Amino acid sequence: MENKTQKRNGFASGIGFILAAAGSAIGLGNLWSFPYKTAKYGGAAFVFTYILSVLIIGVIVMVAELHIGRRSQANPVSAYKKVNKNVGWLGLFAVLIPFFIICYYSVLGGYTVKYAMNSFAGNAGILETFTGNAGEVIMYTAIFMILAILVVMAGVKGGIEKASKVLMPTLFFILVAVAVYSLFLGEGVSEGLNFYLNPDFSELGFDGILAAMSQAFFSLSLGMGIMVSYGSYAGKEIKVGQSISMICIFDTMVALLAGLAIFPAVYHYQAVSGATNVETGGLLLMFQTLPLVFEGMGTFGQILSFFFFAMVVIAALTSVISLLEVVTQLVIQKFHVQRKKAILVVAAICFAISIPIGISLGLVLNGDKSMLICGQNWLDFFDLVTNVVLMPLGALGACMVLGWMLDKPAKKSDMFNPMYLNETLKKDGLNLGWFGKVFAVMVKYVTPLLILVVEIFGVFDIIMPANSITGIRAFSSNGLGIVLTAYGLCVVAIAVYFMFFKKSETGNNADELLIEEKQVKAE
Ligand code: PHE
């Protein structure tokens, strides 16, 4: 190892790291769910709550995860093990969640590829026929996955970092252009803006606050090992505070801009075409309403549609890349296999699971409810299991580990003292300047409590859902099934960890270089 810095397995530059992490964060959550949730929960009131959630939960969890990864320079299992052998299972947990997300996110990614490629033929009204055609859905899911595989296969520096450096600015450029165009459409624009952003705190309510908090987790890719893994590829020299501020600012800006691109155009379309009651939420907003809007713009609309959906593909792609990387990293390091083999095995398994997910969603969109799990189509089932139940737990784990387990102070009272934690963190290489003290209080006490609230009410909402018409809550055995599946997965992850991972070597980032070197020699 003559030249260690050059040979380090990871991002080559600080900006490369920021763009890759922003690539993970910026995804369907920004371009699609943020805008419609904002419109639903009181416009600017929601935006305000969201930004607050990013500051008091998002930033804190991100720093925690990033530091846990960066200090270990290893996969999430090794990273948590390095803090304490008895919490290594949190790392396994942090790999399991992305594994399941890949399976359904790729189906949606496939939809976006189809819509981008089909822009010139016209996407208006194809939702049912396309989604109902299982073969086509599977094919587009495969195309989307192959794109992601190619990037991850080329490695962190040569694949993920390089791709992010090109794709993220492209995405931003398209988004700004579409938003500006949309804002100058004239008729309907102010109604659209009013619908999107008009602050209405009565619409926000407790549900809206919870939605804002959980949106912050999802949008920033927290609670699932991604920032642990990307952090492990970041050199000791990157400035944690600065990098995280940039990632959060980019992520929030893109989310806000997406609404500015979408709603003025939707309302403009309504005003000119006289159409009323177009869907402004959920899957239909992106895959049914927007194609109509583009169609209403004539030939230029086709070009716009192409760029818009290409942008969504980019956003989804850079997110799936990060999900794939986390799982691949563990497989490479734990089983000492080459990156190429690792990614192919991981992707093949995920692809197999994505098939029934794609079919089930297609059936439901065509009004056929014959393929449900716990009363949900497979996509929503996996989404609820991972995002509502498991993701907050992963984030809580990161805060607890960093806030309480990094060090065993000699004096018992120091255990509860955030200022002591701040000093410990500094010694450990996490220097946040003036923010350090605030961070220590937050990560030890405030943020974990807030996350617990998100978890408890999220689970409650699944088990006791409110009737969509009467608003009255009632017990749902299907909901209970979802929650039990999720917690069952936790138990399995813990058991597997203690049986197969705790005592054995789980590897680190340097191993990948050795594996590749060995391979070259063998050839
Ligand atoms: N943050 C991504 C989004 O906003 C989604 C994502 C979640 C990506 C989890 C990776 C991990 O869409």
Side-chain angles (χ1 to χ4, degrees):
M1 297 277 134
E2 343 65 274
N3 190 342
K4 268 202 171 155
T5 43
Q6 217 179 11
K7 274 226 144 181
R8 207 178 53 81
N9 174 18
F11 296 109
S13 67
I15 187 72
F17 162 72
I18 292 173
L19 288 174
S24 170
I26 295 168
L28 297 175
N30 304 60
L31 297 182
W32 168 22
S33 45
F34 179 86
Y36 79 74
K37 282 184 190 162
T38 301
K40 178 170 172 197
Y41 292 115
F46 181 84
V47 174
F48 173 77
T49 317
Y50 176 78
I51 293 177
L52 204 66
S53 310
V54 169
L55 293 175
I56 58 180
I57 305 179
V59 169
I60 307 297
V61 178
M62 199 182 275
V63 172
E65 293 191 351
L66 188 69
H67 185 63
I68 290 170
R70 196 172 63 129
R71 69 195 290 281
S72 71
Q73 302 283 306
N75 65 72
V77 176
S78 298
Y80 279 101
K81 250 170 117 178
K82 193 170 172 196
V83 178
N84 185 321
K85 281 220 153 138
N86 288 321
V87 296
W89 54 269
L90 271 168
L92 203 56
F93 195 66
V95 174
L96 197 69
I97 309 175
F99 173 80
F100 284 111
I101 298 186
I102 297 167
C103 307
Y104 73 78
Y105 209 86
S106 299
V107 173
L108 294 172
Y111 281 23
T112 63
V113 174
K114 161 79 185 179
Y115 275 63
M117 289 173 58
N118 195 51
S119 282
F120 296 99
N123 291 319
I126 67 163
L127 186 65
E128 281 89 9
T129 42
F130 165 61
T131 57
N133 182 343
E136 215 187 346
V137 169
I138 293 168
M139 185 182 84
Y140 279 102
T141 305
I143 296 177
F144 179 78
M145 268 202 179
I146 290 169
L147 291 174
I149 293 169
L150 290 175
V151 175
V152 178
M153 214 178 240
V156 175
K157 208 182 308 178
I160 301 177
E161 183 168 0
K162 264 200 191 146
S164 306
K165 276 184 165 164
V166 178
L167 294 176
M168 295 320 288
T170 310
L171 177 149
F172 196 67
F173 182 76
I174 299 178
L175 181 59
V176 171
V178 179
V180 169
Y181 178 77
S182 185
L183 287 168
F184 281 97
L185 280 168
E187 215 179 332
V189 168
S190 58
E191 286 79 10
L193 288 177
N194 189 32
F195 172 73
Y196 178 38
L197 289 175
N198 187 25
D200 182 350
F201 278 89
S202 65
E203 291 271 311
L204 180 67
F206 189 62
D207 283 356
I209 297 177
L210 281 180
M213 293 207 233
S214 73
Q215 175 71 15
F217 283 113
F218 185 75
S219 189
L220 292 169
S221 303
L222 299 173
M224 57 189 86
I226 289 184
M227 292 301 159
V228 179
S229 172
Y230 274 24
S232 82
Y233 290 126
K236 295 258 189 278
E237 68 286 351
I238 67 149
K239 298 197 176 79
V240 174
Q242 237 179 34
S243 310
I244 286 183
S245 317
M246 306 258 286
I247 297 165
C248 292
I249 291 172
F250 285 155
D251 189 67
T252 308
M253 253 168 49
V254 168
L256 278 169
L257 275 171
L260 294 181
I262 293 173
F263 291 118
V266 169
Y267 273 74
H268 173 73
Y269 166 75
Q270 282 188 318
V272 242
S273 69
T276 49
N277 288 335
V278 301
E279 271 297 337
T280 50
L283 199 100
L284 298 183
L285 169 64
M286 175 126 333
F287 297 110
Q288 192 176 69
T289 303
L290 284 180
L292 285 172
V293 172
F294 291 128
E295 192 186 60
M297 295 175 179
T299 315
F300 183 71
Q302 296 180 344
I303 301 171
L304 203 62
S305 165
F306 173 74
F307 280 106
F308 181 86
F309 282 108
M311 166 182 84
V312 186
V313 173
I314 292 176
L317 192 63
T318 45
S319 294
V320 156
I321 286 169
S322 70
L323 293 162
L324 273 172
E325 176 58 34
V326 183
V327 189
T328 306
Q329 182 191 26
L330 179 65
V331 173
I332 296 173
Q333 297 175 8
K334 164 78 185 164
F335 302 106
H336 279 248
V337 288
Q338 271 185 295
R339 174 169 283 268
K340 249 185 225 159
K341 279 191 201 139
I343 177 82
L344 287 177
V345 172
V346 172
I349 301 174
C350 290
F351 178 63
I353 302 178
S354 77
I355 292 175
I357 296 180
I359 295 176
S360 151
L361 182 63
L363 288 174
V364 169
L365 286 172
N366 282 281
D368 178 345
K369 299 209 161 144
S370 59
M371 195 178 160
L372 303 178
I373 321 182
C374 296
Q376 305 280 348
N377 72 66
W378 284 45
L379 190 139
D380 285 340
F381 172 79
F382 280 104
D383 179 49
L384 288 168
V385 166
T386 51
N387 293 327
V388 183
V389 190
L390 298 180
M391 203 164 52
L393 288 183
L396 182 65
C399 289
M400 296 309 279
V401 166
L402 201 79
W404 296 91
M405 303 187 83
L406 216 50
D407 181 39
K408 272 213 182 84
K411 265 205 307 184
K412 236 197 164 169
S413 60
D414 283 340
M415 188 71 202
F416 300 95
N417 181 0
M419 297 312 125
Y420 180 86
L421 173 64
N422 185 31
E423 293 309 315
T424 310
L425 288 173
K426 271 194 210 157
K427 275 183 226 142
D428 203 51
L430 180 66
N431 200 336
L432 295 167
W434 64 268
F435 185 63
K437 289 181 183 158
V438 182
F439 174 76
V441 176
M442 296 298 289
V443 79
K444 224 172 165 66
Y445 295 106
V446 184
T447 307
L449 278 176
L450 289 172
I451 299 177
L452 215 55
V453 171
V454 175
E455 172 74 13
I456 291 171
F457 284 96
V459 167
F460 174 73
D461 197 43
I462 297 181
I463 301 182
M464 299 280 297
N467 183 296
S468 56
I469 299 157
T470 60
I472 297 170
R473 290 190 180 275
F475 171 73
S476 150
S477 54
N478 278 330
L480 185 64
I482 295 171
V483 172
L484 289 179
T485 310
Y487 289 146
L489 279 172
C490 298
V491 175
V492 172
I494 294 172
V496 169
Y497 174 76
F498 282 104
M499 282 192 291
F500 302 108
F501 286 76
K502 184 181 169 195
K503 292 214 178 83
S504 64
E505 193 44 58
T506 41
N508 58 47
N509 291 355
D511 290 346
E512 186 176 343
L513 298 174
L514 297 177
I515 298 166
E516 305 294 333
E517 253 172 43
K518 243 195 223 158
Q519 183 68 24
V520 173
K521 269 193 200 139
E523 281 165 9

